[in-house]
């Protein structure tokens, strides 16, 4: 190990926001290979260092990709260490001169020796904490929320901020206007000017409160359906939001200026689904199609047993047998087959939100600060000979309580006016259940929430020299920042989720319950998820080694191609760095990483028997592919179609505000329903304020930034520094472009009726690339919105 060479850098040029510095060194011929540099910033403010290039007559060009904030030495005397791109290596292969630097850098990121106190903006410390910062009990006792991350409420961990406890509850963390994330997890200044997190923040902090001031009655429903449509052609007048025009610059789709009134107009774009088919939302076949090609395509399951039964305690929740009987099913099938044949031939499918929601029915109905209701529900569907799904029955259940017995009823499509309107209302309740489950579990929990522990463990245990760190890093960018924003202003007590979704204040608590009951890492890979839901079986003679229960299942069809492309890239990468199993088993960083994900990041599930064991290259390939799939493909499938499908509230209502008119109905209620059933339907939908708030947020969440980083679109410098890895990446990128064409071909195939047809929105959510804006396509590398 040679003595470190020192030199001072001076500015040589500046173009826009980029400044170039030059430092000169005299390197002796016997110095050896350069493996790392140290940077000390003598400015009084931090600087963002993009890269360092070392060149000279006696050495080959050396590149160090930094992409990091370097603190001022006046804030921290420690110099920053950056490793040369080409020295990506396992711990045992670390050059002797870099071993101590590798270990020291990891110790800094773990915060070893640092006092337990509130983190500062310049800190780079990754540590774990429970979700105890969503409530605000010091402001109002009703704003208290339970701690999530224990036996009662199992939950993945978040990044520790070190904020002090609240005064009224020592177990709750106090809130602040800025939520700490390690410095390099925050958006860069350049990206912050246009990136989605800033936009989301502005909508949540400025537009949403302004909407509440525009209407005297926040519970006021839409008076008629054309009033909903007026949001696209008339808009909502807002009082002035910001005087500097910042909002208008970043929200061009939403905010239109009205100069003479000195205010803004919230004018929504027409969602693609309604633009194609104004009445699609009311059709049963579209209702079913969206369970496999819509926003939440990962909840539908195959019915394997009959009769349908609850697993909840019958002494508490009433008789477990479903109200959907064999007679009802066979009457609906009408001669296609018997019930037994339908099950044997894999023709019956279900959305089952019975057991997950039933324990919360009375809690939700007792909420005083919002108008909402809840049921346990089951929705049964039949696979027709044309490959499309048809609804057979919806069951809604209220458990016993408040002096009333259990109430349950099965609703079916029918041909009389009363039954038809009850069926429409039952669909509204199921849509509210599916919307809630999608947002709280399929989207927030399975992607955002469960990925954060992977990011923390990767930075704490895998050096930036580690090849697996480099492989995963592009898929972790900005996720912690967007999650911090969500805790601050989206899923917090009184936030948009609690205000506009049926479970109200129990929303995030319910996501914890779902995590405890459903989530398991070994089912997060797409093939394992499909098999677990009965939507596929292993079959070596079928494409991707799986035979699908529904052959035209757009999410699965496209997702499996993307899964295989990712897995093949990961396989080439892992086998390059781990040519033998012994290298993997002796990799102390890698083993510590996987142990920490299980025992600290997902601590409430650390003793589960289903966690994969990390012994072989195959184990590592499946683990890493699963993590990348969740952060890219799965997140894209459940996020970027939100506005196109849910931007028209009747198609995907987030809340059902009134109970079914046939539940405990008195004569006046029933007569009012018979006289004007449309009023009952409009009363069930979100209020005008809730609808506008949800639509504004979904528009932003569905938006691609101009500088979005799509999967396979740009090679990382560290991959480019290794010729074999560069070649594998080029194959990966080429296959992703082929997937784009494959999806276009499938959408043009008239035999694929679940993605092609009159008024049908093509399934583009897993197309890898997109232009900026709300496009309903594009798979970013990471969960950045």
């Amino acid at each position: 190990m040679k003595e470190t060479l020192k030199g001072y850098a001076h500015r040589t040029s500046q173009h826009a926001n980029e400044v170039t510095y030059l430092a000169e060194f005299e390197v002796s011929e016997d110095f050896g290979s350069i493996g790392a540099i140290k940077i000390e910033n003598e400015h009084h403010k931090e600087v963002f260092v993009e890269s360092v290039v070392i060149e000279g007559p006696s050495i080959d060009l050396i590149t160090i990709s930094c992409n990091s904030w370097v603190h001022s030495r006046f804030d921290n005397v420690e110099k920053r260490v950056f490793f040369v791109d080409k020295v990506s290596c396992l711990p045992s292969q670390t050059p002797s001169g870099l071993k101590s630097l590798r270990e020291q850098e990891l110790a800094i990121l773990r915060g070893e020796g640092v006092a337990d106190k509130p983190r500062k903006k310049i800190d780079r410390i990754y540590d774990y904490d429970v979700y105890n910062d969503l409530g605000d009990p010091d402001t109002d006792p009703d704003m208290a929320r339970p701690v999530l991350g224990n036996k009662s409420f199992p939950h993945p961990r978040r990044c520790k901020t070190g904020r002090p406890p609240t005064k009224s509850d020592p177990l709750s963390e106090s809130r602040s206007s800025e939520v700490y994330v390690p410095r390099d997890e925050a958006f860069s200044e350049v990206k912050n000017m246009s990136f989605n997190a800033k936009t989301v923040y502005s909508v949540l902090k400025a537009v949403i409160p302004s909407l509440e001031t525009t209407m005297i009655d926040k519970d006021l429903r839409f008076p008629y359906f054309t009033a909903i449509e007026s949001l696209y052609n008339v808009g909502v007048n807002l009082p002035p939001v910001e005087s500097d025009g910042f909002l208008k610059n970043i929200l061009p789709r939403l905010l239109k200026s009205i100069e003479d009134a000195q205010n803004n107009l919230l004018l929504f774009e027409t969602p693609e689904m309604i633009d194609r088919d104004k009445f699609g939302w009311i059709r049963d076949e579209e209702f079913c199609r969206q369970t496999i090609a819509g926003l939440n395509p990962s909840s539908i399951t195959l019915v394997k047993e009959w009769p349908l039964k609850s697993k909840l305690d019958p002494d508490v929740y009433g008789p477990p047998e479903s109200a959907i009987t064999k007679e009802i099913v066979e009457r609906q099938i009408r001669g296609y087959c018997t019930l037994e044949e339908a099950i044997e031939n894999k023709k019956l499918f279900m959305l089952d939100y019975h057991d997950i929601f039933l324990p919360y029915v009375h809690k939700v109905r007792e909420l005083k600060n919002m108008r909402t209701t809840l049921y346990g529900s089951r929705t049964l569907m039949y696979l027709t000979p044309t490959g499309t799904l048809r609804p057979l029955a919806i069951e809604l259940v209220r458990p016993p309580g408040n002096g009333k017995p259990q109430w349950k009823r099965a609703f079916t499509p029918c041909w009389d006016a009363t039954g038809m309107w009850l069926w429409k209302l039952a669909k509204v309740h199921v849509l509210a259940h599916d919307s809630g489950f999608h947002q709280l579990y399929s989207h927030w929990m399975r992607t955002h929430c469960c990925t954060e522990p992977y990011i923390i463990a990767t930075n704490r245990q895998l050096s930036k020299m580690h090849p697996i760190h480099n492989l995963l890093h592009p898929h972790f960018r900005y996720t912690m920042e967007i999650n911090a924003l969500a805790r601050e202003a989206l899923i917090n007590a009184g936030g948009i989720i609690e205000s506009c979704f049926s479970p109200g204040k129990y929303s995030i608590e319910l996501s914890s319950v779902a995590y405890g009951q459903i989530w398991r890492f070994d089912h997060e890979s797409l093939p394992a998820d499909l098999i677990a839901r009965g939507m596929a079986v292993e079959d070596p003679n079928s494409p991707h080694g799986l035979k699908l229960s529904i052959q035209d299942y757009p999410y699965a069809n496209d997702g499996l191609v993307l899964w295989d492309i990712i897995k093949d890239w990961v396989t080439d990468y892992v086998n390059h760095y781990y040519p033998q199993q012994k290298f993997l088993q002796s990799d102390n960083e890698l083993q510590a990483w996987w142990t920490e994900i299980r025992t600290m990041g997902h601590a409430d599930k650390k003793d589960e028997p289903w966690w994969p064991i990390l012994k072989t290259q195959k184990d590592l390939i499946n683990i890493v592919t699963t993590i990348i799939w969740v952060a890219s493909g799965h997140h894209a499938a459940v996020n970027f179609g939100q506005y196109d499908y849910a931007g028209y509230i009747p198609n995907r209502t987030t809340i059902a505000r009134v109970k079914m008119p046939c539940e405990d109905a008195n004569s006046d209620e029933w007569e009012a329903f018979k006289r004007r059933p449309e009023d009952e339907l409009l009363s069930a939908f979100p209020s005008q304020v809730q609808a506008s708030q949800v639509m504004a947020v979904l528009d932003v969440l569905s938006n691609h930034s101009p500088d979005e980083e799509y999967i396979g679109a740009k090679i990382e410098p560290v991959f480019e520094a290794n010729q074999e890895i560069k070649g594998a990446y080029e194959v990966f990128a080429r296959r992703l472009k082929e997937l784009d064409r494959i999806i276009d071909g499938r959408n043009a195939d008239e035999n694929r009726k679940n993605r092609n047809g009159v008024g049908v929105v093509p399934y583009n959510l897993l197309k890898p690339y997109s232009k900026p804006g709300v496009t309903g396509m594009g798979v970013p590398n990471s969960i950045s919105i």
Side-chain angles (χ1 to χ4, degrees):
M1 180 176 177
K2 300 289 184 178
E3 185 177 341
T4 301
L5 301 177
K6 298 180 181 180
Y8 291 90
H10 57 275
R11 182 184 301 200
T12 58
S13 64
Q14 179 171 354
H15 300 285
N17 291 320
E18 288 193 359
V19 181
T20 302
Y21 286 81
L22 177 67
E24 295 185 4
F25 300 87
E26 188 172 315
V27 183
S28 62
E29 291 184 2
D30 63 346
F31 185 81
S33 299
I34 297 172
I37 61 168
K38 289 184 176 182
I39 296 179
E40 182 178 59
N41 171 20
E42 294 194 342
H43 294 289
H44 283 270
K45 292 183 178 180
E46 64 180 1
V47 295
F48 187 81
V49 180
E50 184 180 275
S51 62
V52 174
V53 175
I54 302 174
E55 56 184 337
S58 60
I59 60 171
D60 294 329
L61 185 74
I62 297 172
T63 304
I64 301 123
S65 302
C66 304
N67 293 308
S68 180
W69 291 98
V70 176
H71 55 259
S72 165
R73 72 180 182 91
F74 299 101
D75 293 323
N76 184 344
V77 296
E78 292 287 335
K79 298 179 178 67
R80 283 295 307 278
V81 173
F82 296 99
F83 300 103
V84 172
D85 290 353
K86 66 181 181 181
V87 297
S88 179
C89 62
L90 305 181
S92 60
Q93 300 162 343
T94 310
S96 58
L98 299 179
K99 283 185 177 179
S100 62
L101 291 178
R102 182 171 185 150
E103 293 167 1
Q104 289 167 17
E105 178 70 1
L106 281 173
I108 290 170
L109 294 173
R110 287 194 288 262
E112 293 181 5
V114 176
D116 188 5
K117 59 182 181 180
R119 305 287 188 233
K120 295 181 292 185
K121 182 180 178 180
I122 64 167
D123 286 340
R124 301 168 57 232
I125 300 171
Y126 295 79
D127 203 355
Y128 301 95
D129 208 344
V130 294
Y131 275 68
N132 63 347
D133 64 340
L134 303 182
D136 194 1
D138 286 348
T139 302
D140 182 348
D142 194 51
M143 298 287 275
R145 296 294 180 268
V147 175
L148 306 179
N150 49 51
K151 287 185 178 180
S152 299
F153 296 110
H155 202 276
R157 299 307 190 253
R158 63 169 173 91
C159 184
K160 184 174 183 176
T161 68
R163 291 180 293 189
T166 60
K167 295 175 182 177
S168 52
D169 179 11
L171 297 179
S172 294
E173 183 175 285
S174 58
R175 296 175 61 76
S176 57
S177 59
E178 290 190 4
V179 183
Y180 165 80
V181 294
R183 189 64 188 100
D184 286 342
E185 300 297 334
F187 292 90
S188 69
E189 289 299 312
V190 174
K191 187 174 278 290
N192 225 354
M193 295 303 293
S194 65
F195 203 69
N196 294 340
K198 192 81 171 180
T199 314
V200 175
Y201 185 89
S202 300
V203 169
L204 294 174
K205 289 292 190 178
V207 176
I208 298 303
S210 293
L211 275 167
E212 293 179 350
T213 68
T214 62
M215 299 176 194
I216 298 172
D217 182 3
K218 70 175 184 178
D219 289 327
L220 189 67
R221 69 170 173 84
F222 288 99
Y224 30 78
F225 277 92
T226 51
I228 301 175
E229 295 168 18
S230 72
L231 294 171
Y232 313 117
N233 49 50
V234 177
V236 179
N237 284 320
L238 292 180
V241 177
E242 280 194 13
S243 59
D244 62 2
F246 171 71
L247 270 175
K248 286 194 282 286
N249 291 333
I250 63 171
L251 297 176
R253 265 179 60 97
L254 284 175
L255 288 182
K256 315 295 181 185
S257 177
I258 307 175
E259 294 180 4
D260 59 347
Q262 294 296 306
N263 63 2
N264 294 291
L265 180 70
L266 192 66
L267 185 64
F268 294 96
E269 301 282 337
T270 303
E272 185 178 3
M273 189 216 156
I274 297 304
D275 194 40
R276 284 175 174 263
D277 184 355
K278 184 177 179 180
F279 301 106
W281 68 275
I282 209 165
R283 292 190 288 107
D284 287 349
E285 57 269 32
E286 179 63 16
F287 169 72
C288 287
R289 188 190 75 84
Q290 290 184 30
T291 65
I292 54 175
L295 266 191
N296 190 30
S298 57
S299 284
I300 186 172
T301 58
L302 177 71
V303 176
K304 299 178 182 178
E305 298 177 350
W306 198 270
L308 304 175
K309 278 190 175 183
S310 169
K311 295 179 182 178
L312 298 173
D313 185 352
D315 292 335
V316 177
Y317 298 103
E321 295 81 14
S322 171
I324 304 176
T325 62
K326 176 180 178 180
E327 292 72 26
I328 289 174
V329 172
E330 292 189 340
R331 186 166 66 245
Q332 289 297 313
I333 295 175
R334 284 199 292 270
Y336 275 121
C337 59
T338 65
L339 171 68
E340 291 77 14
E341 289 169 339
I343 293 175
E344 181 182 351
N345 294 324
K346 298 184 177 180
K347 298 293 184 182
L348 288 185
F349 297 86
M350 181 167 57
L351 287 179
D352 188 356
Y353 298 129
H354 184 280
D355 287 10
I356 200 84
F357 283 147
L358 201 64
Y360 280 84
V361 167
H362 289 305
K363 291 181 180 179
V364 167
R365 290 182 170 202
E366 290 164 3
L367 291 173
K368 299 289 192 296
N369 62 344
M370 70 183 298
R371 190 181 184 193
T372 183
T373 192
L374 194 64
Y375 292 101
S377 71
R378 297 183 180 96
T379 303
L380 199 65
M381 291 165 278
Y382 178 76
L383 183 63
T384 69
T386 61
T388 58
L389 289 166
R390 176 184 148 196
L392 301 180
I394 289 172
E395 178 186 23
L396 299 178
V397 184
R398 180 199 69 199
N402 300 324
K404 297 178 180 179
Q406 181 196 65
W407 178 87
K408 60 186 172 190
R409 180 166 168 177
F411 301 88
T412 60
C414 53
W415 301 101
D416 65 281
T418 302
M420 180 270 288
W421 274 104
L422 288 173
W423 170 249
K424 282 182 172 60
L425 287 165
K427 283 203 297 182
V428 170
H429 285 276
V430 168
L431 286 169
H433 301 164
D434 194 56
S435 293
F437 191 83
H438 158 258
Q439 205 65 268
L440 299 172
Y441 183 72
S442 303
H443 182 195
W444 167 251
M445 177 57 69
R446 285 185 69 179
T447 65
H448 290 261
C449 219
C450 287
T451 296
E452 186 151 339
Y454 310 150
I455 302 171
I456 298 171
T458 298
N459 284 279
R460 284 169 55 87
Q461 299 298 342
L462 298 181
S463 164
K464 288 181 171 56
M465 295 176 68
H466 200 290
I468 300 302
H469 180 288
N470 295 329
L471 176 60
L472 289 174
H473 178 68
H475 304 285
F476 291 161
R477 287 182 180 131
Y478 311 123
T479 301
M480 290 178 73
E481 170 95 339
I482 203 72
N483 286 3
L485 172 61
R487 301 203 315 276
E488 182 187 350
L490 192 64
I491 65 168
N492 59 303
I496 191 75
I497 295 295
E498 288 195 359
S499 302
C500 300
F501 284 75
S502 282
K505 66 181 287 186
Y506 300 104
S507 293
I508 303 304
E509 184 178 315
L510 259 169
S511 74
S512 163
V513 171
Y515 169 78
Q517 293 182 12
I518 303 170
W519 190 87
R520 43 189 290 177
F521 184 88
D522 63 328
H523 286 177
E524 289 302 287
S525 76
L526 179 59
D529 170 57
L530 293 169
I531 292 168
R533 291 188 285 118
M535 302 304 291
V537 293
E538 291 188 53
D539 180 3
N541 297 318
S542 296
H544 318 289
L546 293 180
K547 182 179 181 181
L548 294 174
S549 301
I550 300 175
Q551 292 304 303
D552 181 17
Y553 183 179
Y555 165 71
N557 298 142
D558 299 352
L560 285 169
V561 179
L562 178 56
W563 169 270
D564 281 355
I565 293 171
I566 295 170
K567 187 174 182 179
D568 288 348
W569 152 240
V570 173
T571 300
D572 290 341
Y573 191 95
V574 166
N575 287 338
H576 173 79
Y577 286 101
Y578 296 96
Q580 298 178 41
Q581 186 173 323
K582 65 180 181 181
F583 292 118
L584 188 147
Q585 293 178 334
S586 64
D587 186 339
N588 62 303
E589 286 185 9
L590 187 72
Q591 296 297 333
W593 168 77
W594 183 235
T595 298
E596 190 165 291
I597 284 174
R598 300 189 331 265
T599 61
M600 296 178 69
H602 288 271
D604 301 319
K605 288 183 174 269
K606 61 182 172 56
D607 297 322
E608 295 288 353
W610 40 253
W611 282 105
I613 296 171
L614 182 50
K615 284 187 175 180
T616 66
Q617 294 96 322
K618 184 179 178 181
D619 298 331
L620 179 58
I621 289 164
N622 198 56
I623 288 168
V624 171
T625 304
T626 297
I627 291 173
I628 294 175
W629 159 255
V630 168
S632 57
H634 179 85
H635 180 259
V638 299
N639 183 74
F640 291 104
Q642 290 193 86
Y643 190 77
D644 281 337
Y645 279 112
Y648 182 65
I649 289 298
N651 183 63
R652 196 154 181 82
T653 182
T654 59
I655 190 171
R657 299 199 299 153
V658 297
K659 65 184 183 180
M660 292 293 291
C662 54
E663 181 201 337
D664 303 329
N666 60 45
S667 57
D668 290 342
E669 289 174 336
W670 186 254
E671 286 302 318
F673 168 59
K674 287 175 67 177
R675 187 168 57 253
R676 281 192 58 83
E678 182 183 338
D679 287 350
E680 194 76 15
L681 194 60
L682 288 164
S683 295
F685 292 148
S687 69
Q688 294 186 47
V689 170
Q690 288 172 324
S692 302
Q693 290 175 334
V694 167
M695 290 165 65
V697 172
L698 293 186
D699 184 278
V700 176
L701 294 183
S702 304
N703 189 65
H704 286 295
S705 166
D707 48 4
E708 190 78 87
E709 297 170 356
Y710 296 101
I711 189 167
K714 181 182 177 183
I715 190 169
E716 296 291 307
V718 70
F719 300 158
E720 206 163 19
N722 182 305
Q723 287 304 308
E724 188 172 330
I725 296 301
K726 180 183 178 183
Y729 190 90
E730 288 170 348
V731 172
F732 172 59
R734 185 173 65 249
R735 291 181 67 193
L736 286 166
K737 291 177 182 176
E738 291 170 1
L739 173 57
D740 207 73
R741 292 189 288 272
I742 288 170
I743 291 175
D744 283 341
R746 288 172 172 176
N747 285 331
D749 185 352
E750 293 185 357
N751 293 316
R752 296 178 181 264
K753 299 182 187 301
N754 292 315
R755 62 196 305 161
N756 178 297
V758 175
V760 172
V761 177
Y763 192 76
N764 287 321
L765 288 170
L766 291 174
K767 289 190 74 170
Y769 310 112
S770 171
K771 63 182 181 182
V774 178
T775 63
M777 64 181 72
V779 181
N781 266 327
S782 61
I783 305 163
S784 58
I785 189 64

